[in-house]
Amino acid sequence: MNRPSFRPDPGRRTLATIGAAVLVASVTLYLALPIVALFFRTTPDLFLSSLMDAEVKSALFLSLSTSLISLAIVILVGTPFAYVHSRTTYPGKIVVDTLIDLPLVLPPAVAGFALLVLYGRVGLLGRYLNLFGITLAFTTIAVIMAQIFVASPFYLRQAKSLFEQLDPAYEQTARTLGASPFRIFATITIPLTAGGLLSGAVMTFGRALGEFGATIMFAGNLPGVTQTMPLAVYGAMQGNFTIGITISILLVIISFAIMIAVRFFAKTGVGHA
Amino acid sequence: MLEATLNKQLRDFPLDAKILVHPGEILALMGENGAGKSTILNMLSGLLAPDHGRVRLRDRELFNSAAGISLPVETRNIGYVLQRSAVFPHLSVSENVAYGMKARHWEKHRIAEEAARWMDRLDIRTLATVKAGNLSGGQKQRIALARALATRPDLLMLDEPFTALDVESTAAGKDLIRSFITEKKIPCIIVTHRRSDCRQIADRVCSIRRGSIGWNGKPDDLPETSKGIP
């Protein structure tokens, strides 16, 4: 008597393989085609020559410098904040947790509008700052403030989670060995979470670099002052299309580099004894 | 000498323990998981605060709830090897051993000498430059022991120190601890599950059950089974 075969039907298997291939190809093409299209709208010579355009150079410089300043502020303030937040319990902690995550789901235009309502020339705080001759809205500082508001959750969430995951045995051991809290933070906590922190920092930089909605609402689109690369792309839609393509390609290249860096740093795990 | 009275309300039962360990004496704490053994070590080290009580070590008041004294962990000078020996994986073996000495701002040449001496004694000198995270459990425990001993503690506390060691390394570890305790005349507390450890290394054994010290006596008088321990 023949035993029943449990092998799948070859016809069905082929069909399943084809179905899976079509699915993967569709998703990949949907994501890749718009990016590829950018490269088809220019030539290497045109790309390189428009890189020298004053508008491109100005937007590139402003984007990189403001994003780096935003990142530095987020790291310097955010790292100790995330550490204290993860190691202590205090009333209203859940509210703070929610506020950290809020910019991730809040439309950036709303974030920019909220910043304007608070810090604008006639804003709740802005009107008093104005009395001292301090104007924030529609300045380069406003660009940085908008980037920090929108991009900081990427770093804060990552840092908070890394500090929570770190095995307390390391810090406890260091304490029994006579190390001060600062030495423990610098020699144990930070090195053991460095890979994840770097990954969060790179994501934050990428988000700050791509910031558009909050910036245009709170800082405007002033060339050389507040016109970052995404805003310059927006401006180019009504003017020089080639410049728009060049800046877009630049942003694509930087974004790719960021994702590669994130994948590289993410491989480094958190320490467990 | 270590004298301690510790009281703390734990989740399921109150911990109430009186501990007295003389200089040069090794006390083994035995008991089931969750009986409160590691909690006692954590309270002595200062990692956990008792609700009430007092801890005196070498005539120094480390904790006294009545007088409002509680010295920070880093100033208690207690060598404590935690259950998960927690070597710092991103540091080399020699950097691990030197960590406590650096934290106490010893002179550089003295740190190098002492680290080399302790690595020799624990037979880990050949691994000096290797990142500690890449080593086996047994090697990590030897590093943790060398790191704790190198700071010349006034009290040595070891939580399950021999679990990851093979028979040979366990015997060598016990010899080393015994010689160090005898040489430095400091009290030592070892938390262990194994009766063989108690018999081979301890001068006295205390059994902990639901936060209270039950059986207290010489290791040779230790009953063969846990049923014999009240």
Side-chain angles (χ1 to χ4, degrees):
Chain A
M1 202 174 100
N2 284 340
R3 299 175 77 179
S5 168
F6 291 103
R7 279 190 195 164
D9 176 10
R12 273 193 190 175
R13 208 166 51 180
T14 313
L15 211 63
T17 310
I18 292 169
V22 168
L23 195 66
V24 171
S26 316
V27 173
T28 310
L29 283 175
Y30 182 77
L31 295 174
L33 276 180
I35 308 291
V36 174
L38 282 174
F39 289 85
F40 275 101
R41 286 300 300 266
T42 190
T43 62
D45 286 344
L46 198 60
F47 175 75
L48 289 173
S49 66
S50 56
L51 266 184
M52 293 300 122
D53 186 282
E55 200 181 325
V56 175
K57 281 202 282 189
S58 160
L60 181 64
F61 173 76
L62 191 70
S63 269
L64 290 178
S65 56
T66 52
S67 300
L68 281 173
I69 292 169
S70 300
L71 179 64
I73 294 170
V74 169
I75 290 174
L76 286 174
V77 179
T79 312
F81 163 80
Y83 184 73
V84 172
H85 182 78
S86 65
R87 295 299 149 93
T88 51
T89 47
Y90 55 88
K93 189 175 175 179
I94 193 158
V95 178
V96 177
D97 265 326
T98 312
L99 279 171
I100 291 171
D101 294 344
L102 191 65
L104 293 174
V105 290
L106 194 71
V110 175
F113 190 63
L115 285 167
L116 195 63
V117 166
L118 182 63
Y119 299 110
R121 198 180 286 261
V122 289
L124 288 174
L125 264 178
R127 73 181 71 167
Y128 299 108
L129 293 173
N130 208 24
L131 293 176
F132 298 99
I134 300 169
T135 308
L136 296 174
F138 306 107
T139 64
T140 309
I141 294 173
V143 175
I144 295 167
M145 287 173 74
Q147 288 174 348
I148 290 173
F149 190 90
V150 174
S152 61
F154 286 89
Y155 185 79
L156 295 179
R157 278 167 63 95
Q158 177 86 342
K160 200 161 61 80
S161 143
L162 287 165
F163 294 145
E164 279 164 2
Q165 285 173 48
L166 183 67
D167 193 327
Y170 293 120
E171 290 173 345
Q172 289 174 345
T173 299
R175 286 185 75 192
T176 66
L177 289 165
S180 66
F182 179 76
R183 179 182 279 268
I184 295 169
F185 187 68
T187 61
I188 304 295
T189 316
I190 293 295
L192 284 177
T193 51
L197 289 176
L198 275 171
S199 164
V202 173
M203 286 293 281
T204 302
F205 179 74
R207 181 65 190 87
L209 201 66
E211 211 319 284
F212 177 80
T215 310
I216 203 162
M217 294 295 285
F218 183 45
N221 191 2
L222 309 168
V225 183
T226 67
Q227 191 181 69
T228 54
M229 288 204 282
L231 270 68
V233 172
Y234 178 69
M237 295 271 289
Q238 283 104 38
N240 192 337
F241 203 73
T242 311
I243 284 179
I245 295 282
T246 302
I247 297 175
S248 299
I249 289 175
L250 267 179
L251 283 170
V252 167
I253 292 168
I254 295 171
S255 303
F256 258 104
I258 284 170
M259 289 321 294
I260 290 167
V262 168
R263 281 175 177 274
F264 174 76
F265 292 129
K267 279 183 187 170
T268 322
V270 187
H272 288 278
Chain B
M1 185 176 356
L2 169 75
E3 295 170 84
T5 313
L6 305 164
N7 293 285
K8 188 167 183 71
Q9 180 60 49
L10 303 182
R11 199 184 58 189
D12 298 327
F13 50 82
L15 187 142
D16 181 10
K18 269 191 181 166
I19 309 267
L20 180 72
V21 194
H22 295 281
E25 184 185 28
I26 299 178
L27 170 73
L29 291 182
M30 277 189 77
E32 291 171 356
N33 283 339
K37 307 182 298 292
S38 298
T39 308
I40 289 175
L41 299 196
N42 284 340
M43 286 198 280
L44 292 171
S45 71
L47 290 172
L48 192 67
D51 294 338
H52 308 283
R54 194 174 178 193
V55 179
R56 277 177 71 80
L57 178 62
R58 284 186 73 175
D59 297 327
R60 203 159 66 110
E61 201 91 40
L62 304 185
F63 180 85
N64 186 336
S65 55
I69 296 170
S70 179
L71 295 191
V73 180
E74 53 271 27
T75 61
R76 293 194 178 198
N77 202 27
I78 293 175
Y80 183 11
V81 178
L82 278 81
Q83 193 166 9
R84 290 157 294 151
S85 45
V87 294
F88 306 133
H90 59 298
L91 301 181
S92 70
V93 171
S94 64
E95 286 168 335
N96 262 279
V97 176
Y99 190 88
M101 295 183 275
K102 277 187 187 164
R104 286 152 205 249
H105 307 292
W106 288 16
E107 285 172 24
K108 269 188 181 172
H109 72 274
R110 195 174 155 214
I111 293 174
E113 278 171 22
E114 286 290 305
R117 194 165 72 85
W118 283 106
M119 284 191 290
D120 278 338
R121 282 186 81 168
L122 271 296
D123 199 21
I124 47 176
R125 182 76 176 268
T126 50
L127 304 169
T129 55
V130 179
K131 283 266 185 289
N134 301 330
L135 299 174
S136 70
Q139 288 166 325
K140 284 179 182 171
Q141 270 188 323
R142 276 186 277 165
I143 296 166
L145 193 56
R147 190 176 57 185
L149 294 175
T151 55
R152 299 176 180 232
D154 292 332
L155 164 68
L156 182 65
M157 303 196 301
L158 309 163
D159 197 349
E160 302 280 3
F162 309 117
T163 44
L165 298 184
D166 55 37
V167 178
E168 214 170 291
S169 301
T170 301
K174 284 173 185 168
D175 286 346
L176 180 87
I177 292 164
R178 168 53 72 194
S179 70
F180 180 82
I181 298 301
T182 310
E183 179 189 321
K184 301 292 175 194
K185 290 265 181 289
I186 62 165
C188 173
I189 303 175
I190 293 182
V191 163
T192 181
H193 276 97
R194 298 188 204 160
R195 276 148 209 284
S196 57
D197 289 345
C198 294
R199 293 205 177 94
Q200 285 162 14
I201 194 171
D203 297 306
R204 198 153 49 84
V205 181
C206 283
S207 81
I208 312 282
R209 202 172 168 190
R210 289 180 67 81
S212 301
I213 292 180
W215 194 87
N216 182 355
K218 296 265 179 207
D220 290 340
D221 302 331
L222 192 64
E224 278 308 315
T225 62
S226 57
K227 283 178 187 166
I229 298 176

